[in-house]
Amino acid sequence: GSRPLRSFARAKADWLGNYSVLLRVVGLGILLGLLCAPILGDLWNLWWNRYGFSHGFLVPLISLYLAWLQWPTLRQIPVEPAIGPGLLWLVAATALLLASEVAGIITTGSLAFILVLAGLVLLLCGYAYLKALAFPLGYLIFMTPVLDGLTEPLVWPFQLLTANMAAAILQALGIPVLLENSIHIILPTVTLEVVRECSGAGLLIAVLAVGLPLAYLTLQAWWSRITLVLSSVIIAIVANWVRVAVMGLYARAGGKDLHGPYHILQGLFVDWVAFGFLFLGAWLLGRMEPAESRPLSHDKKESSSSILSLGPASNRAWWLACGTLAVATLALYALEGGTAELKKDLTTFPTVIGDWVIDHQQNSESLVGLPDADESFVRSYRASDGRRVALSVAYTRTQRQGKELVGMGTAPLHEKADATVLRVEEGSVPANRTIIDRGHRSIPVTFWYHINGTGYADRNLAKLATIKQAFVRGRTDGALVMVSTEPRKDQSEDSWQTQEAFAAAVFPLMQEYLP
């Protein structure tokens, strides 16, 4: 009679142990969700709204599947929490995540999210678990914009190549085509411009995101895996050429709304062709491989150790993980709650600045730096000799992805920017000179970031300034100040100095309006 009682007691203990672990997993998941909610929301918006990132919805699901395939291996590995290194890793990754969320930097924030997951695995389970889950965790990088740094240098060459090949395809079909400025395809009835989004460089990441796990799961030989991925990339590039050529045919036939939903569907066409080729290629290459295949089942006897085991080290690791995430979450929402208001309403800005007087005539060349800013101000001024400038101030109370002071919205300003200095009273303020292209017009612009009374020209320093301000003062506000003039062919030093003299007169006034 004692044996059934012992079996019942063991079963009850196992059930209670599993139930306790389940509660701990749920508690840790809630804390992780609260901390990572801003960056996960930014990633969702990125996948939904940005062209070429819709594959991001699939990446977490594929990563979970890859991790599930490792379960037989994980069952063989004893749980040995690496408390010291794991805690250090988790704290560093959490600090990076916190700083990125406060500053609205999705690139480092999404990378930090992956590092936080890896730190939790190391802290709670140990090195062996982290090694086994390295590929599923590393694969998550495809759902982030981190790899943009690899494709960015390819954008301009791909623009040129796409324009040339699309023009060649149209000419081969007997359609008269003239290629102007390397990226403008001039047809008898319409002119097409191959812009950055049409280069096809960003779509390569989507192809790799699907191709790599597909090759890993369905093929055995390295030669077949490499062949599948490389050939699918080539097919995607060629499909993009065809897409632009199809747009030309559509426009020549009288089609309209080239940049509406039809354009989006044409963009997705590249993905569909590449993905279709991936699955077809995987099937064909699989048939060409030798009959011997990688074993699909593991004959090893499962160890009695389990990921659900609870020991003193596991308890301590869990409490440390929860404490780290809880402190970071409290800090995040405390920092996000801080905002600042303008010292004065921007509409009361002086109508006379030195030799410049407000010009009530609307300036068609006025530029808006941040369309979604919390407070914005645009005003034109005229000098006695007839020269005109436009002053634009865009103020953000907090940093949010898509609404941040330094981000995608201001990136075009830095593409052709050169550093300069504004001579203000007895000191100097760093600023930038740049040229904004509007159609066939080139607008000279002088701009800087105004953060906590200090001017910044370098965008990296401006980002760091907002992060520092968040931790020191509990707020992340700042402004983008731009001074633009009418398009001019003369880009002499004297012309720039005249423009920057007005900007230098504006800077001290900003101190009276911006916090």
Side-chain angles (χ1 to χ4, degrees), residues 15-27:
W15 182 86
L16 290 175
N18 292 345
Y19 181 72
S20 176
V21 169
L22 179 61
L23 290 179
R24 293 189 174 198
V25 169
V26 171

Side-chain angles (χ1 to χ4, degrees), residues 81 131 160 211 259 417:
K131 181 179 179 180
L160 299 178
H259 297 283

Side-chain angles (χ1 to χ4, degrees), residues 1-248:
S2 60
R3 182 174 298 175
L5 290 176
R6 286 197 298 270
S7 299
F8 174 77
R10 187 180 301 110
K12 181 179 180 180
D14 290 342
W15 182 86
L16 290 175
N18 292 345
Y19 181 72
S20 176
V21 169
L22 179 61
L23 290 179
R24 293 189 174 198
V25 169
V26 171
L28 196 63
I30 292 174
L31 287 174
L32 183 64
L34 291 174
L35 175 62
C36 300
I39 198 65
L40 292 177
D42 292 340
L43 285 173
W44 181 278
N45 290 331
L46 179 75
W47 304 338
W48 185 262
N49 296 314
R50 184 171 167 184
Y51 176 66
F53 265 89
S54 56
H55 65 277
F57 290 103
L58 294 176
V59 171
L61 301 178
I62 296 175
S63 177
L64 286 174
Y65 178 69
L66 293 173
W68 178 76
L69 292 178
Q70 293 296 319
W71 180 247
T73 301
L74 296 176
R75 293 283 293 176
Q76 309 296 322
I77 303 174
V79 176
E80 297 177 347
I83 294 180
L87 180 61
L88 182 61
W89 182 325
L90 182 60
V91 169
T94 303
L96 178 61
L97 177 66
L98 181 61
S100 301
E101 290 182 335
V102 166
I105 311 175
I106 189 174
T107 302
T108 56
S110 55
L111 178 61
F113 170 69
I114 300 174
L115 294 176
V116 166
L117 295 179
L120 288 173
V121 172
L122 179 60
L123 174 59
L124 297 172
C125 301
Y127 288 103
Y129 272 83
L130 182 60
K131 181 179 179 180
L133 295 174
F135 182 63
L137 287 171
Y139 175 72
L140 290 174
I141 200 170
F142 283 103
M143 72 179 185
T144 74
V146 174
L147 297 179
D148 280 357
L150 299 178
T151 59
E152 186 64 27
L154 300 176
V155 171
W156 177 242
F158 273 41
Q159 279 182 262
L160 299 178
L161 184 60
T162 299
N164 280 273
M165 295 308 298
I169 293 173
L170 292 171
Q171 289 174 345
L173 295 175
I175 300 174
V177 176
L178 176 63
L179 193 62
E180 184 181 66
N181 297 330
S182 301
I183 59 173
H184 293 91
I185 303 174
I186 302 177
L187 300 171
T189 57
V190 70
T191 298
L192 302 179
E193 180 182 359
V194 181
V195 296
R196 291 173 55 90
E197 291 77 10
C198 293
S199 67
L203 297 174
L204 300 183
I205 300 300
V207 174
L208 292 175
V210 175
L212 289 178
L214 182 65
Y216 173 78
L217 295 173
T218 61
L219 302 174
Q220 308 157 40
W222 282 105
W223 69 265
S224 58
R225 292 175 176 176
I226 294 174
T227 300
L228 176 65
V229 174
L230 290 182
S231 58
S232 62
V233 168
I234 295 174
I235 290 295
I237 294 173
V238 174
N240 191 53
W241 302 344
V242 175
R243 178 183 74 89
V244 176
V246 169
M247 289 181 65

